[in-house]
Amino acid sequence: MKRFFAFLCTFLILSSAALFAQESDENDDSVFAVDYRLNEPGDQYIKLGLMVTFPLNFGGEFPLYKEGQLNTGGAGYLGYHRFITSWLAAGVDVHFGYNPTIGENIFTYIPFIFNLTVQPSVWKFEFPVTVGAGFAMESYLNRTYFPGLIVNAQAGAFFRINPSWSFGLDGDFKYMPQWYSNSENNDYGLFASFSVAARYHF
Amino acid sequence: MKLNIKKILKKSLFITAMSSSFLFFSCQDVIFASIRDEVRLTVAKVSGDITRIARFTADGKEYLYVSNGELWFKDVTQAASGTPTTAENSADYESTWQRTNIPTQRTVAVASDETYLYLLCKTHEIDEDLGEVPPSGYSLYCSTDASEWAAVTLKDADGNDVLSSLGGTGNYDTLKCLFSTNSVKTENRHAFINIAGKVFSLNGESGTLLTENDFGSTYIWLPAPDTPENHTSARGASFMDGKIYLTNHIAMTSNETKDAEADVIYYGSGSNIGYLLSGETTATENDLNLSTIESLAYTNGSIIVGTKSGIRKVSLSENKPNSVTSFADGSNAETALAAYYEVYNVISVDPAKAEGEGDLYATTIFEDTSSSTSATYEGLWAYFPGRNKWNRE
């Protein structure tokens, strides 16, 4: 009888402990639930990059285009972007680019590009795809073409090292037409670029 | 509601102002189309500061001579007789300029008349105190074959040698003091030198000092005012109607060809092109919005103008300068001899040919240091119709 009563008490105590433990787990899940995303609406980033620029429609061959009217050049760019949603951002980039010519002159351009970026992400990898349009100041010898239309498309891959910094690579394509009252002078430039870039997120 | 309208108006005004500023500051210069006309520049053979390009006839052949510290020449008989340079008559347009002997250390300028080639030279002596090698003296030589040289002696009215008056640091006036009519017809070539305001007509190993009595008959001053003070600043000459026209402007030419005498003289006055028609006594100047004119070359239907800001072409209407116009289709004149250069000399070998149909030569320098990474070449350029391009010589 005494053994039965001791066994019953032990069973009841253990059952109560199990019951309270279950209730505690349920309470912990509801307090610490987190849905983490790399970017949230309102997040911003500043982007800085250096690129090699290839003139596609002036003759010559990859990679230096030495025999073309325009040769391989370079550019740097600086941009500001703000997320509208967790995957869509809007911003503006300014580039500073140059390409040497076959006659030992220099073609330079400074475009201001307003753009939209769609950025899917997997784990810490981000894949921005950007399209934009804007205007450019184009210079050659003592000649200037302003404002020149510029249409730009860009795709890249970035790795978020920490919440504030990401680094990656971009491929870029630019279309720069030049239109004149004398249509015989109408022309356009197609440029492809490859860049390394850093982004500061805040 | 009112607040919203105000905001909308402000934004609209801002957008309108930005758009207007774009239009106000817009520029539409031709860029890509011009880049497509460029050519790869050749390695230069005749480079440096070239003060003059002189025509010279010897042994029935026509030559061009340039001085850049040395003396270079090129046989242009074929082009001068009406056959411009093409790939068929010039292997890959390779430069055929040759260097010839000079009588002393360095040349300064070259000119010619019907018989002689004149060469202004300078010598240098080391100044060990200053650690410099400044010009120590100038001398003038003449030759009938550009091989054997004889010294030219010039004396003023008092019998004093005047060449010793040339000196200093080789300033601009010294470099341009030797000049000639540089006529296409050999018999119309006359050479002069201006030393400290004394103008000599060169005659081989001597020269004749021009006096005020000479002006008005054999020599005509252009443009007005025709004063003794202006005569002392003569730097250019041209030949028309049996007379020699002198001017204080560097750029002067005529529309003389190998088959026709001149009936118009052109000169550059600052940024204006002046012209005097045969039989008239008063010149007319047209402002064509050019940079300061340094040189002129007549071609059939146009004038090639060398300025402080590159090369330009001016169309002619009834032999009168009309307006700035474009070069031959596909020519790279304005991108090769671009605005960053001063075009000191330009010459048309056969002025009977239109621009784009005859050989042209020009020289470029840039004042002080280059204002552009693009303008880096001081020296001689040539245009050949066969390639329709300017390139270094």
Side-chain angles (χ1 to χ4, degrees), chain B residues 111-130:
Chain B
S112 68
D113 62 17
E114 183 178 4
T115 308
Y116 294 95
L117 188 70
Y118 298 94
L119 195 61
L120 182 66
C121 300
K122 64 179 177 181
T123 53
H124 294 255
E125 288 184 0
I126 298 174
D127 186 329
E128 294 185 351
D129 292 334
L130 293 175

Side-chain angles (χ1 to χ4, degrees), chain A residues 120-137:
Chain A
S121 60
V122 175
W123 187 49
K124 291 186 179 182
F125 287 95
E126 298 167 291
F127 305 95
V129 177
T130 304
V131 291
F135 60 91
M137 166 91 75

Side-chain angles (χ1 to χ4, degrees), chain B residues 311-312 327 330-338 355 383 388-390:
Chain B
I311 197 169
R312 293 291 180 270
F327 285 83
S331 169
N332 63 336
E334 291 186 69
T335 56
L337 285 73
E355 187 270 325
Y383 170 89
N388 192 28
K389 298 294 180 188
W390 285 85

Side-chain angles (χ1 to χ4, degrees), chain B residues 104-106 121-125 134-139:
Chain B
T104 184
Q105 286 183 354
R106 291 189 67 77
C121 300
K122 64 179 177 181
T123 53
H124 294 255
E125 288 184 0
S136 60
Y138 289 83
S139 49

Side-chain angles (χ1 to χ4, degrees), chain A residues 66 101 103 140-141 143 187, chain B residues 27 29 34 36 38 40 340:
Chain A
K66 268 191 171 181
T101 72
Y140 164 71
L141 294 174
R143 303 178 182 193
D187 208 329
Chain B
C27 304
D29 297 328
S34 295
R36 294 191 191 279
E38 284 195 358
R40 183 176 298 285
Y340 295 118

Side-chain angles (χ1 to χ4, degrees), chain B residues 174-223:
Chain B
T174 303
L175 299 177
K176 291 288 187 175
C177 69
L178 181 66
F179 59 96
S180 71
T181 57
N182 219 18
S183 299
V184 177
K185 289 178 177 292
T186 307
E187 62 271 24
N188 293 340
R189 291 178 193 161
H190 301 268
F192 303 86
I193 189 167
N194 183 340
I195 302 174
K198 297 183 174 68
V199 182
F200 290 82
S201 171
L202 297 175
N203 308 301
E205 296 181 35
S206 64
T208 304
L209 176 64
L210 298 189
T211 67
E212 287 306 308
N213 292 333
D214 295 316
F215 284 89
S217 53
T218 306
Y219 300 96
I220 308 295
W221 183 259
L222 191 70

Side-chain angles (χ1 to χ4, degrees), chain B residues 132-150:
Chain B
E132 296 175 349
V133 190
S136 60
Y138 289 83
S139 49
L140 186 63
Y141 297 88
C142 67
S143 173
T144 57
D145 57 7
S147 176
E148 294 184 13
W149 299 91

Side-chain angles (χ1 to χ4, degrees), chain A residues 57-58 66-67 69-70 101-107 135 138-147 176 178-180 184-185 187-189 191, chain B residues 21-23 25-41 312 329 334-336 338-340 372-376 392:
Chain A
N57 66 324
F58 287 87
K66 268 191 171 181
E67 300 305 317
Q69 299 302 113
L70 274 180
T101 72
I102 196 171
E104 300 182 15
N105 296 311
I106 301 284
F107 167 68
F135 60 91
E138 300 160 33
S139 298
Y140 164 71
L141 294 174
N142 65 332
R143 303 178 182 193
T144 302
Y145 186 87
F146 175 80
M176 299 169 64
Q178 290 181 349
W179 297 312
Y180 303 92
E184 289 184 357
N185 294 323
D187 208 329
Y188 62 93
F191 299 88
Chain B
S21 66
F22 274 15
L23 292 172
F25 292 111
S26 67
C27 304
Q28 299 284 301
D29 297 328
V30 178
I31 292 183
F32 285 149
S34 295
I35 289 175
R36 294 191 191 279
D37 286 336
E38 284 195 358
V39 292
R40 183 176 298 285
L41 297 180
R312 293 291 180 270
D329 198 28
E334 291 186 69
T335 56
Y340 295 118
S372 164
T373 54
S374 300
T376 58
R392 297 170 180 166

